[in-house]
Amino acid sequence: MTIDRIRDAILSGATGDELASIPLPTTVRGAMVYARDVDMFDGMPTHEKDPRRSMHVDEFPLPELAPDECYVAVMASSINFNTVWSSIFEPLPTFGFLKRYAKESVWGKRHDQPWHVLGSDAAGVVLRTGSSVRRFKPGDAVTVHANVVDDQEPSAHDDSMLASNQRAWGFETNFGGLAEIAVVKANQLMPKPEHLTWEEAAVNTLTAATSYRMLVSHNGAHMTQGQVVLIWGASGGIGSYACQFVLNGGGIPVAVVSSERKAALVRDMGVEYVIDRKAEGYRFWDENGEQDPSEWKRFGKRIRELAGTDPDIVFEHPGRDTLGASVFVVKRGGLVITCAATTGYKLEFDARYLWMNLKTIKGCHFANYREAEEANRLACEGRIYPTLSRVYPLDRVADATYEVHQNRHEGKLGVLVLAPEEGLGVTDPVKRAVNLDKITLFRRHADERVHAPAHA
Ligand code: NDP
Protein backbone atom coordinates (compact mmCIF):
# COMPACT_ATOMS: atom_id res chain seq x y z
CA MET A 1 0.00 0.00 0.00
CA THR A 2 1.29 3.48 -0.86
CA ILE A 3 0.60 4.91 2.57
CA ASP A 4 3.04 2.34 3.96
CA ARG A 5 5.66 3.52 1.47
CA ILE A 6 5.12 7.09 2.66
CA ARG A 7 5.35 6.05 6.31
CA ASP A 8 8.50 4.00 5.70
CA ALA A 9 10.10 6.84 3.75
CA ILE A 10 9.43 9.30 6.60
CA LEU A 11 10.74 6.86 9.20
CA SER A 12 13.93 6.28 7.21
CA GLY A 13 14.57 10.04 6.88
CA ALA A 14 13.74 10.43 3.17
CA THR A 15 14.40 13.85 1.63
CA GLY A 16 11.58 16.12 0.53
CA ASP A 17 12.29 15.27 -3.12
CA GLU A 18 12.11 11.55 -2.37
CA LEU A 19 8.82 12.00 -0.53
CA ALA A 20 7.40 14.11 -3.31
CA SER A 21 8.21 11.39 -5.84
CA ILE A 22 6.10 8.75 -4.08
CA PRO A 23 2.63 8.61 -5.65
CA LEU A 24 -0.16 9.53 -3.28
CA PRO A 25 -2.87 7.02 -2.48
CA THR A 26 -6.33 7.88 -3.78
CA THR A 27 -7.92 6.99 -0.44
CA VAL A 28 -6.63 7.09 3.14
CA ARG A 29 -8.00 6.14 6.56
CA GLY A 30 -9.42 8.63 9.00
CA ALA A 31 -11.64 8.97 12.06
CA MET A 32 -15.07 10.11 10.99
CA VAL A 33 -18.71 10.47 11.89
CA TYR A 34 -21.52 9.91 9.41
CA ALA A 35 -24.40 12.23 8.50
CA ARG A 36 -26.74 9.24 8.56
CA ASP A 37 -26.09 8.89 12.33
CA VAL A 38 -26.84 12.41 13.53
CA ASP A 39 -30.12 11.36 15.21
CA MET A 40 -28.70 8.27 16.93
CA PHE A 41 -28.48 9.88 20.39
CA ASP A 42 -31.76 11.80 20.28
CA GLY A 43 -33.40 12.01 23.70
CA MET A 44 -30.35 10.77 25.62
CA PRO A 45 -28.64 12.81 28.34
CA THR A 46 -25.28 14.18 27.18
CA HIS A 47 -23.12 11.96 29.39
CA GLU A 48 -24.74 8.80 27.99
CA LYS A 49 -23.98 9.67 24.37
CA ASP A 50 -21.16 7.31 23.53
CA PRO A 51 -18.56 8.26 20.88
CA ARG A 52 -17.73 4.55 20.55
CA ARG A 53 -21.05 4.15 18.74
CA SER A 54 -20.72 7.12 16.40
CA MET A 55 -17.00 7.29 15.49
CA HIS A 56 -15.52 5.04 12.81
CA VAL A 57 -12.11 4.67 11.22
CA ASP A 58 -12.80 4.32 7.51
CA GLU A 59 -11.30 5.08 4.10
CA PHE A 60 -12.12 8.34 2.37
CA PRO A 61 -10.97 9.78 -0.98
CA LEU A 62 -8.25 12.42 -0.85
CA PRO A 63 -9.58 15.63 -2.38
CA GLU A 64 -7.74 17.72 -4.96
CA LEU A 65 -5.35 20.25 -3.37
CA ALA A 66 -6.13 23.99 -3.58
CA PRO A 67 -3.20 26.30 -4.48
CA ASP A 68 -2.80 27.51 -0.87
CA GLU A 69 -3.01 24.06 0.72
CA CYS A 70 -0.74 21.16 1.62
CA TYR A 71 -1.10 17.47 2.18
CA VAL A 72 0.42 16.51 5.51
CA ALA A 73 1.29 12.93 6.40
CA VAL A 74 -0.03 12.81 9.95
CA MET A 75 2.29 10.94 12.29
CA ALA A 76 0.21 11.75 15.38
CA SER A 77 -2.85 13.73 16.37
CA SER A 78 -4.85 14.27 19.54
CA ILE A 79 -8.31 14.32 21.04
CA ASN A 80 -9.77 17.74 21.68
CA PHE A 81 -13.09 18.39 23.31
CA ASN A 82 -14.41 19.45 19.91
CA THR A 83 -13.87 15.82 18.85
CA VAL A 84 -16.28 14.93 21.65
CA TRP A 85 -18.81 17.54 20.49
CA SER A 86 -18.65 16.28 16.88
CA SER A 87 -18.98 12.65 17.95
CA ILE A 88 -22.10 13.22 20.07
CA PHE A 89 -23.60 15.69 17.57
CA GLU A 90 -23.84 18.43 20.22
CA PRO A 91 -24.74 21.21 20.41
CA LEU A 92 -25.35 20.70 16.67
CA PRO A 93 -24.21 18.11 14.14
CA THR A 94 -21.10 19.49 12.43
CA PHE A 95 -22.45 18.67 8.95
CA GLY A 96 -24.17 22.08 8.91
CA PHE A 97 -20.73 23.74 9.07
CA LEU A 98 -19.59 21.71 6.06
CA LYS A 99 -22.66 22.69 4.06
CA ARG A 100 -22.04 26.36 4.84
CA TYR A 101 -18.39 26.02 3.76
CA ALA A 102 -19.54 24.45 0.49
CA LYS A 103 -21.41 27.62 -0.44
CA GLU A 104 -18.25 29.73 -0.22
CA SER A 105 -16.23 28.45 -3.18
CA VAL A 106 -15.45 25.50 -5.36
CA TRP A 107 -12.75 24.52 -2.84
CA GLY A 108 -15.20 24.79 0.04
CA LYS A 109 -17.52 22.42 -1.81
CA ARG A 110 -15.08 19.53 -1.32
CA HIS A 111 -15.83 19.60 2.42
CA ASP A 112 -19.54 18.86 2.10
CA GLN A 113 -19.62 15.07 2.35
CA PRO A 114 -21.89 12.57 4.13
CA TRP A 115 -18.88 11.83 6.36
CA HIS A 116 -16.80 14.22 8.45
CA VAL A 117 -13.11 13.47 9.08
CA LEU A 118 -12.37 14.98 12.50
CA GLY A 119 -9.29 16.22 14.33
CA SER A 120 -7.94 19.69 15.11
CA ASP A 121 -4.31 18.84 15.93
CA ALA A 122 -1.52 17.17 14.01
CA ALA A 123 2.21 16.65 13.89
CA GLY A 124 3.61 15.24 10.69
CA VAL A 125 5.48 15.82 7.46
CA VAL A 126 4.54 17.94 4.45
CA LEU A 127 4.00 15.68 1.42
CA ARG A 128 2.85 18.08 -1.30
CA THR A 129 2.30 21.82 -1.49
CA GLY A 130 -0.12 23.79 -3.65
CA SER A 131 1.26 26.19 -6.26
CA SER A 132 1.06 29.30 -4.04
CA VAL A 133 2.70 27.82 -0.91
CA ARG A 134 5.95 29.55 0.04
CA ARG A 135 7.08 28.95 3.63
CA PHE A 136 6.99 25.15 3.72
CA LYS A 137 8.02 22.35 1.33
CA PRO A 138 7.77 18.57 1.11
CA GLY A 139 9.80 16.88 3.83
CA ASP A 140 9.32 19.63 6.44
CA ALA A 141 8.33 18.37 9.90
CA VAL A 142 5.41 20.44 11.07
CA THR A 143 2.68 20.92 13.60
CA VAL A 144 -0.70 22.17 12.44
CA HIS A 145 -2.85 24.77 14.16
CA ALA A 146 -6.59 24.72 13.65
CA ASN A 147 -7.39 28.26 12.51
CA VAL A 148 -8.60 28.20 8.91
CA VAL A 149 -8.28 31.77 7.69
CA ASP A 150 -9.42 33.18 4.36
CA ASP A 151 -6.77 35.72 3.36
CA GLN A 152 -9.15 37.32 0.82
CA GLU A 153 -11.62 38.20 3.57
CA PRO A 154 -11.08 41.81 4.77
CA SER A 155 -12.49 41.07 8.23
CA ALA A 156 -9.63 38.57 8.73
CA HIS A 157 -6.94 41.20 8.58
CA ASP A 158 -6.85 42.79 12.01
CA ASP A 159 -7.36 39.75 14.18
CA SER A 160 -8.21 36.71 12.06
CA MET A 161 -10.36 35.31 14.87
CA LEU A 162 -12.73 38.19 14.08
CA ALA A 163 -13.12 37.08 10.47
CA SER A 164 -16.71 36.48 9.50
CA ASN A 165 -15.74 33.14 7.91
CA GLN A 166 -13.12 31.95 10.44
CA ARG A 167 -13.27 28.17 10.86
CA ALA A 168 -11.85 25.49 13.15
CA TRP A 169 -10.11 22.83 11.10
CA GLY A 170 -11.42 19.29 11.61
CA PHE A 171 -14.52 20.67 13.34
CA GLU A 172 -15.97 23.25 10.97
CA THR A 173 -14.03 21.81 8.02
CA ASN A 174 -13.54 18.28 6.73
CA PHE A 175 -10.19 16.46 6.23
CA GLY A 176 -8.95 17.02 9.81
CA GLY A 177 -5.92 15.70 11.65
CA LEU A 178 -7.22 12.31 12.76
CA ALA A 179 -6.36 10.83 9.35
CA GLU A 180 -3.33 9.37 7.61
CA ILE A 181 -3.17 12.39 5.31
CA ALA A 182 -4.69 15.74 6.26
CA VAL A 183 -5.52 18.69 4.04
CA VAL A 184 -4.42 21.98 5.58
CA LYS A 185 -3.98 25.58 4.49
CA ALA A 186 -0.32 26.58 4.29
CA ASN A 187 -0.89 29.22 6.98
CA GLN A 188 -1.85 26.48 9.44
CA LEU A 189 1.68 25.06 9.35
CA MET A 190 4.25 25.68 12.05
CA PRO A 191 7.66 24.10 12.69
CA LYS A 192 7.58 20.95 14.80
CA PRO A 193 9.43 21.19 18.16
CA GLU A 194 12.56 19.16 17.45
CA HIS A 195 12.93 17.77 20.97
CA LEU A 196 9.44 16.27 21.08
CA THR A 197 8.14 12.97 19.76
CA TRP A 198 5.38 13.02 17.17
CA GLU A 199 2.71 12.35 19.79
CA GLU A 200 4.07 14.97 22.18
CA ALA A 201 4.25 17.57 19.42
CA ALA A 202 0.72 16.79 18.28
CA VAL A 203 -1.10 17.54 21.51
CA ASN A 204 -0.09 21.16 22.05
CA THR A 205 -1.35 23.16 19.15
CA LEU A 206 -5.06 23.70 19.83
CA THR A 207 -5.14 23.81 23.60
CA ALA A 208 -1.86 25.69 24.15
CA ALA A 209 -2.78 28.32 21.58
CA THR A 210 -6.26 28.75 23.08
CA SER A 211 -4.84 29.26 26.57
CA TYR A 212 -2.16 31.59 25.17
CA ARG A 213 -4.81 33.87 23.66
CA MET A 214 -6.98 33.69 26.79
CA LEU A 215 -4.22 34.62 29.21
CA VAL A 216 -1.17 36.07 27.47
CA SER A 217 -2.40 37.86 24.36
CA HIS A 218 -3.66 41.45 24.34
CA ASN A 219 -6.76 39.93 22.71
CA GLY A 220 -7.37 38.02 25.93
CA ALA A 221 -6.59 38.81 29.58
CA HIS A 222 -3.04 40.07 28.91
CA MET A 223 -2.01 38.86 32.35
CA THR A 224 0.74 40.75 34.17
CA GLN A 225 3.20 39.70 36.86
CA GLY A 226 1.73 38.94 40.26
CA GLN A 227 -1.86 38.64 39.08
CA VAL A 228 -3.89 35.89 40.70
CA VAL A 229 -5.59 33.62 38.16
CA LEU A 230 -8.28 31.12 39.11
CA ILE A 231 -8.04 28.18 36.67
CA TRP A 232 -10.98 25.79 36.38
CA GLY A 233 -10.11 22.30 35.13
CA ALA A 234 -6.43 22.99 35.81
CA SER A 235 -5.25 19.47 34.95
CA GLY A 236 -7.37 19.25 31.76
CA GLY A 237 -6.58 20.16 28.16
CA ILE A 238 -6.65 23.96 28.17
CA GLY A 239 -6.22 24.19 31.96
CA SER A 240 -2.88 22.38 31.96
CA TYR A 241 -1.48 24.94 29.51
CA ALA A 242 -3.14 27.79 31.41
CA CYS A 243 -1.15 26.74 34.50
CA GLN A 244 2.06 26.87 32.48
CA PHE A 245 1.37 30.31 30.98
CA VAL A 246 0.45 31.80 34.36
CA LEU A 247 3.57 30.38 36.01
CA ASN A 248 5.81 31.45 33.10
CA GLY A 249 4.38 34.98 33.17
CA GLY A 250 4.92 35.51 36.88
CA GLY A 251 1.26 35.12 37.77
CA ILE A 252 -0.14 33.20 40.72
CA PRO A 253 -2.40 30.31 39.70
CA VAL A 254 -5.15 28.99 41.92
CA ALA A 255 -5.93 25.62 40.37
CA VAL A 256 -9.31 23.92 40.67
CA VAL A 257 -9.42 20.15 40.16
CA SER A 258 -11.69 17.29 41.20
CA SER A 259 -9.45 14.69 42.85
CA GLU A 260 -6.39 14.36 45.04
CA ARG A 261 -4.61 12.67 42.14
CA LYS A 262 -5.17 15.69 39.91
CA ALA A 263 -4.21 17.99 42.79
CA ALA A 264 -0.88 16.19 43.11
CA LEU A 265 -0.33 16.54 39.37
CA VAL A 266 -0.84 20.31 39.28
CA ARG A 267 1.33 20.68 42.38
CA ASP A 268 4.07 18.85 40.48
CA MET A 269 3.61 21.43 37.71
CA GLY A 270 4.62 24.06 40.27
CA VAL A 271 1.17 25.30 41.29
CA GLU A 272 1.10 26.11 45.00
CA TYR A 273 -2.58 26.87 45.56
CA VAL A 274 -4.94 24.03 44.68
CA ILE A 275 -8.63 23.53 45.39
CA ASP A 276 -10.13 20.05 45.13
CA ARG A 277 -13.73 21.00 44.28
CA LYS A 278 -15.05 17.51 45.00
CA ALA A 279 -13.28 17.11 48.34
CA GLU A 280 -14.49 20.54 49.44
CA GLY A 281 -18.00 19.69 48.22
CA TYR A 282 -19.05 22.94 46.54
CA ARG A 283 -22.68 22.91 45.42
CA PHE A 284 -23.18 26.09 43.47
CA TRP A 285 -26.61 24.85 42.32
CA ASP A 286 -29.09 23.49 44.87
CA GLU A 287 -31.58 20.67 44.36
CA ASN A 288 -34.26 23.18 43.23
CA GLY A 289 -32.09 24.29 40.34
CA GLU A 290 -31.21 27.62 41.99
CA GLN A 291 -27.71 28.95 42.52
CA ASP A 292 -26.58 29.20 46.12
CA PRO A 293 -24.66 32.43 46.85
CA SER A 294 -23.52 31.06 50.23
CA GLU A 295 -21.52 28.46 48.29
CA TRP A 296 -20.01 31.17 46.07
CA LYS A 297 -18.96 32.93 49.29
CA ARG A 298 -17.44 29.78 50.75
CA PHE A 299 -15.51 29.26 47.52
CA GLY A 300 -14.32 32.89 47.43
CA LYS A 301 -13.20 32.67 51.06
CA ARG A 302 -11.14 29.59 50.24
CA ILE A 303 -9.41 31.37 47.34
CA ARG A 304 -8.62 34.31 49.63
CA GLU A 305 -7.27 31.98 52.31
CA LEU A 306 -4.89 30.49 49.77
CA ALA A 307 -3.85 33.45 47.61
CA GLY A 308 -4.48 36.27 50.09
CA THR A 309 -6.73 38.10 47.64
CA ASP A 310 -9.56 37.65 45.15
CA PRO A 311 -8.51 36.54 41.66
CA ASP A 312 -7.73 39.22 39.08
CA ILE A 313 -8.65 36.80 36.32
CA VAL A 314 -10.84 33.71 36.14
CA PHE A 315 -10.00 31.21 33.40
CA GLU A 316 -13.53 29.99 32.72
CA HIS A 317 -14.85 27.19 30.50
CA PRO A 318 -17.13 24.77 32.45
CA GLY A 319 -19.94 27.29 31.92
CA ARG A 320 -23.30 26.63 33.54
CA ASP A 321 -21.97 24.88 36.64
CA THR A 322 -19.39 27.55 37.45
CA LEU A 323 -20.01 30.91 35.77
CA GLY A 324 -22.12 32.28 38.65
CA ALA A 325 -19.29 31.49 41.06
CA SER A 326 -16.66 32.88 38.66
CA VAL A 327 -18.45 36.23 38.36
CA PHE A 328 -18.89 36.38 42.13
CA VAL A 329 -15.31 35.55 43.14
CA VAL A 330 -13.38 37.60 40.59
CA LYS A 331 -11.88 40.78 42.04
CA ARG A 332 -13.62 44.17 41.77
CA GLY A 333 -12.65 45.35 38.29
CA GLY A 334 -11.50 41.83 37.41
CA LEU A 335 -11.94 39.75 34.28
CA VAL A 336 -13.70 36.44 33.66
CA ILE A 337 -12.32 35.17 30.37
CA THR A 338 -14.24 32.30 28.84
CA CYS A 339 -13.93 30.08 25.78
CA ALA A 340 -16.55 27.41 26.43
CA ALA A 341 -19.51 26.12 28.39
CA THR A 342 -18.91 22.39 28.68
CA THR A 343 -21.58 21.84 31.37
CA GLY A 344 -24.24 23.90 29.58
CA TYR A 345 -24.33 27.11 27.58
CA LYS A 346 -27.46 28.69 29.04
CA LEU A 347 -25.61 30.61 31.70
CA GLU A 348 -26.81 32.36 34.85
CA PHE A 349 -25.02 34.81 37.08
CA ASP A 350 -26.05 37.59 39.42
CA ALA A 351 -25.50 40.72 37.33
CA ARG A 352 -25.42 42.98 40.41
CA TYR A 353 -21.96 41.65 41.24
CA LEU A 354 -20.90 42.39 37.69
CA TRP A 355 -21.85 46.03 37.32
CA MET A 356 -21.55 47.20 40.93
CA ASN A 357 -18.02 45.81 41.06
CA LEU A 358 -17.08 46.82 37.52
CA LYS A 359 -16.25 43.29 36.44
CA THR A 360 -15.98 42.07 32.85
CA ILE A 361 -16.88 38.80 31.16
CA LYS A 362 -14.97 38.42 27.92
CA GLY A 363 -15.51 35.78 25.24
CA CYS A 364 -12.45 34.21 23.67
CA HIS A 365 -12.06 31.66 20.90
CA PHE A 366 -9.04 29.69 19.70
CA ALA A 367 -6.12 31.85 18.46
CA ASN A 368 -5.05 33.82 15.44
CA TYR A 369 -2.05 32.67 13.41
CA ARG A 370 0.31 34.92 15.34
CA GLU A 371 -0.92 33.65 18.73
CA ALA A 372 -0.74 30.03 17.57
CA GLU A 373 2.79 30.63 16.27
CA GLU A 374 3.87 32.26 19.56
CA ALA A 375 2.52 29.33 21.57
CA ASN A 376 4.30 26.94 19.17
CA ARG A 377 7.55 28.93 19.51
CA LEU A 378 7.38 28.53 23.29
CA ALA A 379 6.86 24.78 22.78
CA CYS A 380 9.84 24.68 20.37
CA GLU A 381 12.01 26.45 22.96
CA GLY A 382 10.97 24.05 25.71
CA ARG A 383 9.26 26.84 27.69
CA ILE A 384 5.89 25.13 27.31
CA TYR A 385 5.76 21.37 27.61
CA PRO A 386 3.21 18.84 26.36
CA THR A 387 0.70 17.56 28.89
CA LEU A 388 0.38 14.20 27.15
CA SER A 389 -0.85 11.55 29.56
CA ARG A 390 -1.90 8.64 27.32
CA VAL A 391 -1.49 7.53 23.72
CA TYR A 392 -3.95 5.53 21.61
CA PRO A 393 -3.62 4.02 18.14
CA LEU A 394 -5.93 5.46 15.48
CA ASP A 395 -8.07 2.32 15.62
CA ARG A 396 -8.94 3.16 19.25
CA VAL A 397 -9.68 6.84 18.66
CA ALA A 398 -13.29 6.39 19.81
CA ASP A 399 -12.12 4.92 23.15
CA ALA A 400 -9.90 7.95 23.66
CA THR A 401 -12.77 10.31 22.82
CA TYR A 402 -14.97 8.44 25.29
CA GLU A 403 -12.37 8.91 28.05
CA VAL A 404 -12.32 12.68 27.46
CA HIS A 405 -16.11 12.85 27.35
CA GLN A 406 -16.28 11.06 30.71
CA ASN A 407 -13.58 13.34 32.23
CA ARG A 408 -11.40 10.30 33.02
CA HIS A 409 -8.24 11.74 31.54
CA GLU A 410 -5.60 14.25 32.55
CA GLY A 411 -4.02 16.79 30.22
CA LYS A 412 -4.12 15.52 26.66
CA LEU A 413 -4.65 12.18 24.95
CA GLY A 414 -2.49 11.58 21.89
CA VAL A 415 -3.36 9.43 18.88
CA LEU A 416 -0.73 7.60 16.81
CA VAL A 417 -1.69 7.76 13.16
CA LEU A 418 1.23 6.89 10.84
CA ALA A 419 3.79 6.67 13.65
CA PRO A 420 4.02 2.91 14.33
CA GLU A 421 5.00 3.37 17.96
CA GLU A 422 5.60 6.02 20.58
CA GLY A 423 8.90 7.80 21.04
CA LEU A 424 9.74 8.58 17.39
CA GLY A 425 10.39 11.90 15.71
CA VAL A 426 12.93 13.49 18.07
CA THR A 427 15.70 15.32 16.20
CA ASP A 428 17.16 17.29 19.14
CA PRO A 429 17.90 14.70 21.86
CA VAL A 430 20.07 17.12 23.83
CA LYS A 431 17.25 19.62 24.35
CA ARG A 432 14.94 16.71 25.11
CA ALA A 433 17.25 15.43 27.84
CA VAL A 434 17.32 18.85 29.49
CA ASN A 435 13.52 19.08 29.52
CA LEU A 436 12.68 15.42 30.07
CA ASP A 437 11.19 15.72 33.57
CA LYS A 438 8.61 18.22 32.44
CA ILE A 439 7.90 16.60 29.08
CA THR A 440 7.05 13.29 30.74
CA LEU A 441 5.29 14.64 33.86
CA PHE A 442 1.71 13.85 32.82
CA ARG A 443 2.75 10.50 31.38
CA ARG A 444 4.49 9.45 34.59
CA HIS A 445 1.44 10.41 36.66
CA ALA A 446 -0.83 8.37 34.39
CA ASP A 447 1.55 5.38 34.61
CA GLU A 448 1.67 5.61 38.42
CA ARG A 449 -2.13 5.46 38.46
CA VAL A 450 -2.13 2.28 36.37
CA HIS A 451 0.51 0.64 38.54
CA ALA A 452 -0.88 1.83 41.89
CA PRO A 453 -2.30 -0.89 44.17
CA ALA A 454 -6.08 -1.17 43.83
CA HIS A 455 -6.72 0.04 47.41
CA ALA A 456 -4.61 3.22 46.92
P1 NDP B 1 -10.91 18.72 29.22
O1 NDP B 1 -12.04 17.75 29.30
O2 NDP B 1 -9.54 18.22 28.97
O3 NDP B 1 -10.86 19.57 30.56
C1 NDP B 1 -12.01 20.16 31.10
C2 NDP B 1 -11.87 20.25 32.61
O4 NDP B 1 -13.06 20.86 33.11
C3 NDP B 1 -11.75 18.91 33.27
O5 NDP B 1 -10.40 18.60 33.49
C4 NDP B 1 -12.52 19.09 34.58
O6 NDP B 1 -11.59 19.22 35.64
C5 NDP B 1 -13.23 20.42 34.43
N1 NDP B 1 -14.66 20.26 34.69
C6 NDP B 1 -15.50 19.36 34.14
N2 NDP B 1 -16.74 19.50 34.67
C7 NDP B 1 -16.65 20.50 35.58
C8 NDP B 1 -17.58 21.09 36.46
N3 NDP B 1 -18.85 20.67 36.51
N4 NDP B 1 -17.16 22.09 37.26
C9 NDP B 1 -15.87 22.50 37.22
N5 NDP B 1 -14.95 21.97 36.41
C10 NDP B 1 -15.33 20.99 35.59
O7 NDP B 1 -11.34 19.75 28.11
P2 NDP B 1 -10.48 20.96 27.49
O8 NDP B 1 -9.73 21.60 28.58
O9 NDP B 1 -9.73 20.51 26.30
O10 NDP B 1 -11.66 21.90 26.99
C11 NDP B 1 -12.52 22.52 27.94
C12 NDP B 1 -13.64 23.23 27.17
O11 NDP B 1 -13.09 24.27 26.39
C13 NDP B 1 -14.42 22.33 26.22
O12 NDP B 1 -15.78 22.68 26.25
C14 NDP B 1 -13.83 22.67 24.86
O13 NDP B 1 -14.72 22.43 23.80
C15 NDP B 1 -13.55 24.15 25.05
N6 NDP B 1 -12.50 24.66 24.17
C16 NDP B 1 -12.79 25.79 23.47
C17 NDP B 1 -11.86 26.30 22.62
C18 NDP B 1 -12.18 27.50 21.83
O14 NDP B 1 -11.41 27.86 20.95
N7 NDP B 1 -13.28 28.19 22.07
C19 NDP B 1 -10.56 25.65 22.42
C20 NDP B 1 -10.32 24.53 23.31
C21 NDP B 1 -11.28 24.05 24.13
P3 NDP B 1 -11.87 18.67 37.13
O15 NDP B 1 -12.89 17.58 37.02
O16 NDP B 1 -10.54 18.20 37.59
O17 NDP B 1 -12.35 19.85 37.92
Side-chain angles (χ1 to χ4, degrees), residues 101-248:
Y101 200 2
K103 291 188 186 142
E104 205 167 83
S105 71
V106 63
W107 297 113
K109 211 165 168 29
R110 295 168 304 166
H111 293 255
D112 181 17
Q113 301 292 342
W115 36 265
H116 185 181
V117 179
L118 309 177
S120 297
D121 274 325
V125 177
V126 176
L127 288 178
R128 298 279 195 284
T129 55
S131 55
S132 70
V133 175
R134 296 179 302 280
R135 285 187 68 213
F136 291 88
K137 58 182 188 324
D140 287 346
V142 291
T143 56
V144 181
H145 75 74
N147 187 2
V148 174
V149 179
D150 175 359
D151 64 7
Q152 293 176 35
E153 170 56 43
S155 58
H157 281 267
D158 183 6
D159 169 9
S160 60
M161 287 309 300
L162 297 181
S164 52
N165 60 355
Q166 186 277 332
R167 292 188 166 85
W169 171 63
F171 180 64
E172 293 164 293
T173 80
N174 219 323
F175 312 115
L178 287 163
E180 290 167 335
I181 296 181
V183 178
V184 308
K185 286 207 182 247
N187 59 18
Q188 289 178 255
L189 298 179
M190 306 181 295
K192 172 189 168 289
E194 294 177 336
H195 64 299
L196 299 182
T197 64
W198 294 114
E199 60 279 9
E200 290 162 355
V203 299
N204 304 306
T205 49
L206 185 133
T207 41
T210 302
S211 300
Y212 181 94
R213 181 177 173 107
M214 287 177 80
L215 291 171
V216 183
S217 170
H218 64 273
N219 291 313
H222 210 189
M223 187 204 82
T224 54
Q225 291 182 46
Q227 286 194 309
V228 173
V229 185
L230 180 77
I231 303 172
W232 290 105
S235 72
I238 53 176
S240 58
Y241 292 93
C243 291
Q244 297 186 55
F245 287 122
V246 172
L247 289 167
N248 283 3

Side-chain angles (χ1 to χ4, degrees), residues 81 85 210 237-238 258 262 277 321 339-340 342 365-366 407 409:
F81 215 93
W85 296 130
T210 302
I238 53 176
S258 63
K262 290 180 174 181
R277 65 182 173 93
D321 280 1
C339 75
T342 319
H365 188 40
F366 189 51
N407 192 19
H409 66 300

Side-chain angles (χ1 to χ4, degrees), residues 79-85 161 206-207 210-211 214 232-240 256-259 262 275 277-278 284 315-319 321-322 338-343 364-367 403-405 407 409-412:
I79 307 298
N80 282 296
F81 215 93
N82 70 7
T83 321
V84 175
W85 296 130
M161 287 309 300
L206 185 133
T207 41
T210 302
S211 300
M214 287 177 80
W232 290 105
S235 72
I238 53 176
S240 58
V256 187
V257 293
S258 63
S259 69
K262 290 180 174 181
I275 297 176
R277 65 182 173 93
K278 286 260 167 73
F284 300 132
F315 182 87
E316 166 66 45
H317 52 92
D321 280 1
T322 56
T338 180
C339 75
T342 319
T343 62
C364 203
H365 188 40
F366 189 51
E403 291 293 300
V404 174
H405 183 27
N407 192 19
H409 66 300
E410 285 113 32
K412 296 288 301 173

Side-chain angles (χ1 to χ4, degrees), residues 306-329:
L306 290 168
T309 177
D310 296 327
D312 299 274
I313 299 165
V314 177
F315 182 87
E316 166 66 45
H317 52 92
R320 184 164 175 81
D321 280 1
T322 56
L323 187 79
S326 296
V327 169
F328 180 81
V329 301

Side-chain angles (χ1 to χ4, degrees), residues 52 392 395-404 413:
R52 296 171 300 184
Y392 290 73
D395 284 330
R396 290 194 54 215
V397 66
D399 293 332
T401 309
Y402 177 75
E403 291 293 300
V404 174
L413 300 185

